[in-house]
Each structure stands twice: as structure tokens, then as C-alpha cells.
Amino acid sequence: MKTKVIEAMKAAGKPMSAGEVATALAADRKEVDKAFAELKKEGKIVSPVRCKWAPAE
């Protein structure tokens, strides 16, 4: 799920909220939230604007 979240964010080309990612992937919001939490801990996503996330580069 983490890989899919990162790919969806890169494909969108803009910061996205967890809800937007869940909609784009047609996935359960809880799964996306869990992936977001893990990605934040690993430093693989960053928040350039409030409540939106983008892949760390």
C-alpha cells in the first residue's frame, strides 16, 4: 500500500490529502491513513502545505 500511495502522489504531481489519495486509488481510507503514518515515520513524505502531503525528494 505504501508504494501505491507514493506512486499516486507522484502521478498527481501536487500535494494530496489522505482522502484524495484514497479516492485516486479506490482504496479504504483507513489503509491509506496507516500507510501515511508509516511513510511519515520513515521520512518518505513531507507536508509542504497544511493537511497535504507530497513525496520527499
Side-chain angles (χ1 to χ4, degrees), residues 2-56:
K2 293 192 294 186
T3 319
K4 289 181 182 179
V5 168
I6 294 286
E7 288 172 3
M9 292 175 144
K10 286 182 179 176
K14 64 181 175 82
M16 299 175 77
S17 67
E20 291 170 334
V21 173
T23 303
L25 294 174
D28 183 36
R29 171 69 189 256
K30 289 179 184 175
E31 288 181 29
V32 173
D33 284 337
K34 183 179 174 185
F36 263 50
E38 292 174 16
L39 288 166
K40 285 180 223 175
K41 233 183 263 183
E42 295 168 11
K44 293 187 178 176
I45 59 175
V46 294
S47 181
V49 292
R50 187 170 176 222
C51 297
K52 302 274 184 169
W53 295 85

